[in-house]
C-alpha cells in the first residue's frame, strides 16, 4: 500500500487538532460495497477524509482522535488465518497504523466504549456508515448532526494542497493525458464510442490507475454527463471525451477534450471550438490568489457571448445579456470545481461549505447556479477550468416557446445547430503564490494540435 511519510499524516492530524482545540473526532472509513451478494463487491474505494488523515486504504476501519486525552486510535480487525487463505499474506493492520503514526489499534467492537455523545463527525454519505453512527451514538438516523466546525476545519486543510499531493495530481493528469491521446487516435468514422472508451480504459490500466469518475465519451456532447457509449461515430460529428484517472494514492485528474470524428474540424465546429478555447485560455490566464472564481465564470460567459454575437447566434449588448444570464443557455454548468482526492473535491462535506463563504450566496441563474467553486482563490487550491458551449435542442426549444431571451437569441439561426452536439475543454490548474500552473504535460488543445494527434502526428 502506498503511503506518504509518517510525518505527513501526523502533521495533518496535528493541524486538525490545532484548528479545533478540544473534543473527540471520529473519522469513518468505507466498507466493502456488495454488488449482488456479500462477497461480490464493487471496487473498494476508501473514504477520502480517512485517506487524508490516516492513509490506510482498507475496508472496515474507523479512527478516533481524542484531543483532550491526546489519543489516536484506529479501529479494525487484524487479518485472521481464514482471511489469509483467501487473500494471501497481508501487512498487519498495526504495522500499517504505525506507518501513519498511530500506535493503538483496537477491535471495531471497542469503538462504542470509547466515544462520547459529543463526538464530532463528518457528514456521512454511505448508508452503512449512517446506520453505524446511528447505532453508536445512539440516535435515530434523522437526528444525525455532523459537526460544522469539524467539516470546515477539514475543508480548510484539504483545500490547500501540499507539494506531495500536487505531485500525485500531476501524475494523475499525465496518465489522463495518455488516455485522451489514445481516445483521439481511436476515433474515426464507422468506429463505435465504446471502442474509444476501451482504449481509454486500457491506457489507464497499463498505469495501474483507476477511474476518478465514470467515463463521459459521446458524440452527443451536448448531454453534459453522457455515459452511454453505444453510438456509431460518423464523420462530421464531434466527440467529447471527459475522462480522468485517480492514482494508486487516489488523487484525481479530470480532463475534457473535444475533437472531430473525421480528424478535421469543419468551419462551423472551428468557430465554436475557438470560442471555448478562448474561454479556457482567457480564464486560465487570470488565475491567481485573491481572485473570486465566480468572477472568472462570469467573464468566461462574457467571452462566450462575444463569440456567439460575432457568429450571429445572439445579438444585443453583451453586458446586458450577461446580467440576464443568456450564457447559461449555452453553458448550463459552472466553470469549474475543486479537485483533489475527489474529482469534485469534498463534495461529501457540502458544496456550499467548500466553494462558497459567508456573504457569497449561490445564484439561481441557469449555469451560475451550478458553479461549485465561487469563492476567492488561494495558494494551493487546485481547480478545474472547464468552459463549454452546447446546443441542447430541448432546452433551446423550451426557452424559445416560453419567449425567454427572445430579445437576445436568434432562435431561427440556432436550428442549424441542433445536431452540433457540444464542446467542452477542461484543464486542472494549481493556484500558486504568484499566479497559477496548469498541471501535467500539455494535452493537445489547439485546433492544429488536435488535428495533428488525429493524423498520427504526435
Ligand atoms: N468530470 C466531471 C466534471 O467535469 O466535473
Ligand atoms: Mn470533467
Ligand atoms: Mn470537472
Amino acid at each position: 500500500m502506498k503511503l506518504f511519510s509518517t510525518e505527513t499524516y501526523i502533521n495533518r492530524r496535528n493541524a486538525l487538532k490545532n484548528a479545533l482545540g478540544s473534543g473527540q473526532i471520529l473519522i469513518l472509513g468505507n466498507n466493502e460495497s456488495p454488488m449482488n451478494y456479500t462477497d461480490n463487491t464493487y471496487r473498494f474505494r476508501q473514504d477520502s477524509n480517512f485517506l487524508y488523515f490516516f492513509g490506510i486504504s482498507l475496508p472496515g476501519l474507523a479512527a478516533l482522535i481524542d484531543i483532550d486525552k491526546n489519543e489516536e486510535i484506529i479501529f479494525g480487525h487484524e487479518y485472521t488465518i481464514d482471511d489469509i487463505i483467501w487473500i494471501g499474506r497481508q501487512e498487519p493492520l498495526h504495522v500499517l497504523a504505525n506507518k501513519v503514526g498511530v500506535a493503538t489499534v483496537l477491535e471495531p467492537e471497542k469503538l462504542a466504549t470509547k466515544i462520547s455523545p459529543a463526538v464530532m463527525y463528518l457528514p456521512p454519505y454511505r448508508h452503512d456508515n449512517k446506520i453505524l453512527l446511528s447505532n453508536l451514538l445512539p440516535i435515530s438516523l434523522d437526528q444525525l448532526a455532523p459537526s460544522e466546525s469539524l467539516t470546515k476545519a477539514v475543508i480548510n486543510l484539504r483545500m490547500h494542497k501540499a507539494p506531495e499531493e500536487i505531485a500525485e495530481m500531476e501524475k494523475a493528469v499525465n496518465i489522463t493525458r495518455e488516455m485522451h491521446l489514445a481516445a483521439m487516435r481511436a476515433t474515426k468514422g464507422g468506429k463505435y464510442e465504446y471502442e474509444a472508451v476501451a482504449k481509454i480504459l486500457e491506457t489507464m490500466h497499463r498505469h495501474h490507475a483507476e477511474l476518478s469518475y465514470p467515463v463521459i465519451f459521446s458524440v452527443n456532447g451536448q448531454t453534459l454527463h453522457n455515459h452511454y457509449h453505444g453510438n456509431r461515430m460518423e464523420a462530421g460529428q464531434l466527440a467529447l471525451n471527459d475522462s480522468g484517472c485517480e492514482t494508486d494514492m487516489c488523487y484525481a485528474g479530470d480532463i475534457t477534450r473535444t475533437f472531430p470524428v473525421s480528424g478535421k474540424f469543419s468551419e462551423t465546429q472551428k468557430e465554436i471550438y475557438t470560442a471555448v478555447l478562448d474561454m479556457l485560455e482567457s480564464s486560465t490566464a487570470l488565475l491567481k490568489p485573491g481572485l473570486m472564481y465566480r468572477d472568472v465564470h462570469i467573464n468566461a460567459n462574457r467571452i462566450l457571448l462575444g463569440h456567439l454575437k460575432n457568429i450571429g447566434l445572439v445579438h444585443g449588448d453583451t453586458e446586458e445579456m450577461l446580467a440576464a444570464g443568456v450564457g447559461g443557455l449555452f453553458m448550463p454548468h459552472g466553470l469549474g470545481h475543486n479537485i483533489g482526492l475527489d474529482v469534485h473535491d469534498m463534495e461529501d462535506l457540502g458544496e456550499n461549505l467548500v466553494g462558497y463563504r459567508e456573504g457569497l450566496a449561490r445564484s439561481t441563474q441557469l449555469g451560475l447556479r451550478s458553479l461549485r467553486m465561487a469563492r476567492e482563490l488561494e495558494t494551493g487550491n487546485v481547480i478545474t477550468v472547464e468552459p463549454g458551449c452546447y446546443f441542447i435542442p430541448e432546452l433551446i426549444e423550451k426557452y424559445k416557446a416560453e419567449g425567454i431571451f427572445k430579445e437576445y437569441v436568434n432562435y431561427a439561426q440556432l436550428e442549424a445547430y441542433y445536431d452540433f452536439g457540444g464542446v467542452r475543454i477542461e484543464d486542472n490548474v494549481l493556484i500558486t503564490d504568484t499566479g497559477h500552473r496548469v498541471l501535467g504535460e500539455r494535452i493537445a488543445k489547439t485546433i492544429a494540435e488536435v488535428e495533428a494527434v488525429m493524423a498520427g502526428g504526435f
Side-chain angles (χ1 to χ4, degrees):
M1 186 177 308
K2 267 183 76 182
L3 295 166
F4 292 124
S5 71
T6 309
E7 290 67 41
T8 299
Y9 298 103
I10 292 174
N11 292 342
R12 288 173 178 180
R13 294 194 297 270
N14 284 344
L16 182 64
K17 289 189 262 191
N18 288 337
L20 291 165
S22 75
Q24 259 191 351
I25 303 161
L26 176 63
I27 308 277
L28 295 178
N30 280 339
N31 297 309
E32 293 282 18
S33 186
M35 218 183 313
N36 45 354
Y37 54 92
T38 307
D39 285 344
N40 201 25
T41 56
Y42 290 103
R43 173 173 83 87
F44 173 70
R45 173 55 156 81
Q46 183 57 290
D47 171 75
S48 297
N49 299 302
F50 195 93
L51 280 176
Y52 186 80
F53 292 108
F54 293 93
I56 306 174
S57 182
L58 289 175
L61 303 181
L64 191 66
I65 301 174
D66 195 314
I67 303 177
D68 308 305
K69 289 188 185 155
N70 196 22
E71 235 178 22
E72 293 178 333
I73 307 171
I74 291 178
F75 297 85
H77 289 298
E78 284 293 0
Y79 294 101
T80 64
I81 188 64
D82 278 345
D83 295 324
I84 291 164
I85 290 169
W86 290 98
I87 61 173
R89 191 189 300 149
Q90 305 290 323
E91 255 184 311
L93 182 56
H94 67 271
V95 172
L96 291 168
N98 203 36
K99 287 185 180 177
V100 299
V102 175
T104 310
V105 174
L106 295 177
E107 290 293 311
E109 294 72 26
K110 295 271 168 55
L111 178 54
T113 67
K114 288 281 184 183
I115 59 168
S116 73
V119 67
M120 293 178 274
Y121 51 92
L122 297 168
Y125 54 92
R126 289 203 177 184
H127 303 304
D128 47 0
N129 276 341
K130 289 183 190 182
I131 294 167
L132 174 66
L133 282 170
S134 160
N135 288 339
L136 273 174
L137 290 169
I139 50 175
S140 65
L141 284 170
D142 57 10
Q143 285 176 319
L144 290 178
S147 159
E148 189 162 301
S149 49
L150 171 63
T151 304
K152 283 181 169 169
V154 171
I155 289 171
N156 190 38
L157 287 170
R158 285 183 53 191
M159 284 282 280
H160 300 95
K161 273 68 179 178
E164 66 273 11
E165 298 185 279
I166 294 161
E168 275 299 309
M169 296 186 71
E170 196 125 40
K171 204 189 290 176
V173 174
N174 282 334
I175 299 169
T176 300
R177 173 179 178 273
E178 287 192 34
M179 292 154 60
H180 277 264
L181 296 179
M184 284 181 198
R185 292 187 184 115
T187 295
K188 48 174 88 64
K191 295 253 183 213
Y192 283 81
E193 293 165 339
Y194 53 74
E195 295 179 79
V197 173
K199 287 291 176 198
I200 292 171
L201 298 178
E202 185 216 295
T203 310
M204 178 186 81
H205 286 310
R206 275 200 288 103
H207 290 280
H208 200 215
E210 296 286 350
L211 289 176
S212 46
Y213 54 96
V215 172
I216 299 160
F217 184 100
S218 183
V219 290
N220 289 314
Q222 78 283 2
T223 306
L224 300 183
H225 282 181
N226 199 329
H227 297 132
Y228 177 72
H229 302 141
N231 293 308
R232 186 176 191 265
M233 300 188 279
E234 306 294 347
Q237 293 178 314
L238 286 172
L240 185 152
N241 176 19
D242 182 347
S243 55
C245 74
E246 61 178 32
T247 63
D248 48 7
M249 296 193 81
C250 294
Y251 282 87
D254 178 10
I255 298 289
T256 307
R257 290 293 184 266
T258 308
F259 40 93
V261 171
S262 70
K264 286 269 177 204
F265 287 91
S266 71
E267 289 310 309
T268 308
Q269 289 167 346
K270 273 184 187 171
E271 283 180 332
I272 301 298
Y273 192 90
T274 301
V276 178
L277 188 60
D278 188 10
M279 292 161 82
L280 175 71
E281 289 180 336
S282 304
S283 300
T284 306
L286 296 172
L287 301 178
K288 60 174 187 206
L291 180 67
M292 212 194 279
Y293 201 47
R294 187 183 65 177
D295 291 341
V296 187
H297 170 104
I298 292 169
N299 193 53
N301 273 264
R302 180 179 286 119
I303 296 167
L304 175 62
L305 290 167
H307 281 272
L308 295 179
K309 203 155 100 169
N310 289 340
I311 297 168
L313 298 179
V314 297
H315 64 273
D317 180 70
T318 305
E319 292 308 309
E320 234 181 72
M321 287 194 272
L322 196 59
V326 178
L329 178 59
F330 303 96
M331 187 175 94
H333 64 70
L335 185 64
H337 49 84
N338 288 276
I339 178 168
L341 280 164
D342 309 299
V343 61
H344 288 183
D345 211 21
M346 299 173 281
E347 217 155 86
D348 59 316
L349 302 180
E351 268 184 57
N352 286 349
L353 287 179
V354 174
Y356 289 74
R357 56 158 170 76
E358 230 165 275
L360 181 59
R362 212 170 170 112
S363 166
T364 53
Q365 240 175 25
L366 180 65
L368 191 51
R369 72 175 177 229
S370 299
L371 183 63
R372 295 173 149 89
M373 171 61 173
R375 56 155 117 164
E376 290 79 3
L377 300 169
E378 294 172 1
T379 303
N381 292 168
V382 181
I383 52 163
T384 67
V385 186
E386 50 181 303
C389 179
Y390 315 87
F391 298 92
I392 306 169
E394 296 81 356
L395 177 64
I396 297 169
E397 284 290 315
K398 179 178 191 308
Y399 272 39
K400 183 174 146 188
E402 292 174 12
I404 303 172
F405 302 149
K406 62 177 183 304
E407 59 276 52
Y408 306 119
V409 176
N410 300 335
Y411 282 107
Q413 271 79 348
L414 277 180
E415 282 174 29
Y417 287 78
Y418 282 5
D419 62 354
F420 181 94
V423 173
R424 179 162 68 251
I425 318 174
E426 176 174 23
D427 279 337
N428 303 161
V429 185
L430 166 71
I431 306 303
T432 63
D433 284 332
T434 52
H436 63 271
R437 183 162 69 79
V438 178
L439 291 184
E441 283 172 53
R442 186 176 174 86
I443 307 170
K445 68 182 143 189
T446 64
I447 287 174
E449 286 169 339
V450 169
E451 290 186 347
V453 171
M454 297 195 71
F458 70 100

